[in-house]
Amino acid sequence: MILEREGIIILAGGSGLRMGKIVKALVNLNNKPLITYVVDKALKVSTNIGVVIGKNYDQNMFRKVIPSFIPIWKDELEGKGPVVGLLTGMKKLEATYIAALSCDIPFLNPEALKVLFKEIERVHADSAIPLWPNGFKEPLHAVYKKTSFISSAEDALRNNKLSLFEVITRLKRVVYIPVNQIKKVDLDLLTFFNVNTPKDLEEALAILKRLNSF
């Protein structure tokens, strides 16, 4: 079997507390579930995609809106956050470098994702993570070397560390990509816009209408 070089995991297991404890990935934005926007954009980068949902979620609900060739996996543990979800997906998806994406970024920019893949492969790093001027990192809009992520995540979990940042500190070589570099392909940096609250959903709809008006 030939190992694919690039792959993408979309995390859809969040509890959506700020959205009213609903399955956020399936929240409608202009009559389409949020996750379908992410899947559609991700497919412009790679068809090697997997979706990870909550352990207690109904897989059939997702199967109705996600292309049949994209596998859907359930979290191995419930309520343990993105590290467990990513680890579940990383173990199953066959690729050398894997992008980790959340399900709530409807304006994902394929070209921005390509920048991250290009950088991690260029310097043979363990991770390529966007970095804002104020120091904020985007670990769920990042690319990881599969083998490095798995070993670091397993070590973090053994020490009861559930934060993605704990995993990142265990990676040997992390390259941070200034968001200003990503501006070259996404001027307004909408690729990082995520929907956490009803207000965010309203703003996303306004952005969508504006984009569609051009």
Side-chain angles (χ1 to χ4, degrees):
M1 180 178 66
I2 299 175
L3 183 68
E4 291 200 45
R5 192 158 183 82
E6 298 175 355
I8 299 170
I9 291 173
I10 301 171
L11 292 183
S15 59
L17 289 176
R18 286 182 283 176
M19 292 292 289
K21 293 185 178 180
I22 57 178
V23 181
K24 185 164 63 168
L26 301 178
V27 168
N28 276 328
L29 171 61
N30 199 33
N31 298 316
K32 281 177 58 178
L34 270 179
I35 192 170
T36 62
Y37 290 89
V38 185
V39 169
D40 290 348
K41 298 294 180 60
L43 284 171
K44 296 181 183 298
V45 180
S46 173
T47 57
N48 187 26
I49 298 174
V51 173
V52 182
I53 64 175
K55 185 178 181 181
N56 297 322
Y57 281 4
D58 181 358
Q59 198 165 351
N60 292 326
M61 294 172 61
F62 286 84
R63 191 75 281 167
K64 291 176 182 176
V65 301
I66 292 173
S68 59
F69 65 88
I70 294 178
I72 300 172
W73 304 303
K74 288 193 173 188
D75 269 345
E76 294 177 353
L77 299 170
E78 180 65 20
K80 295 296 184 180
V83 173
V84 171
L86 273 180
L87 189 56
T88 297
M90 292 271 185
K91 287 179 177 178
K92 294 180 181 294
L93 194 70
E94 296 295 336
T96 303
Y97 297 104
I98 298 177
L101 302 174
S102 58
C103 65
D104 59 359
I105 48 173
F107 308 112
L108 171 68
N109 188 309
E111 296 306 313
L113 201 52
K114 290 176 184 178
V115 168
L116 299 179
F117 274 117
K118 182 179 178 180
E119 285 302 302
I120 194 173
E121 295 178 32
R122 183 179 68 83
V123 300
H124 304 290
D126 294 311
S127 182
I129 304 174
L131 179 68
W132 291 84
N134 64 1
F136 182 78
K137 305 175 182 70
E138 296 278 1
L140 282 179
H141 197 304
V143 176
Y144 300 91
K145 185 177 180 181
K146 172 178 173 166
T147 53
S148 301
F149 183 91
I150 289 175
S151 61
S152 296
E154 289 178 338
D155 182 67
L157 292 173
R158 276 194 298 269
N159 289 279
N160 202 33
K161 304 293 186 181
L162 302 179
S163 167
L164 262 176
F165 294 108
E166 288 286 346
V167 176
I168 292 167
T169 62
R170 288 165 165 78
L171 296 172
K172 292 180 180 178
R173 188 171 189 188
V174 178
V175 56
Y176 290 105
I177 313 300
V179 295
N180 283 339
Q181 183 174 335
I182 295 173
K183 270 189 173 183
K184 295 175 183 177
V185 296
D186 185 1
L187 184 60
D188 296 322
L189 296 176
L190 287 178
T191 193
F192 298 113
F193 182 95
N194 63 334
V195 178
N196 285 316
T197 66
K199 184 177 181 181
D200 293 336
L201 190 62
E202 290 178 9
E203 188 175 349
L205 182 58
I207 293 171
L208 193 62
K209 289 180 178 178
R210 187 179 78 236
L211 293 175
N212 288 340
S213 68
F214 287 105

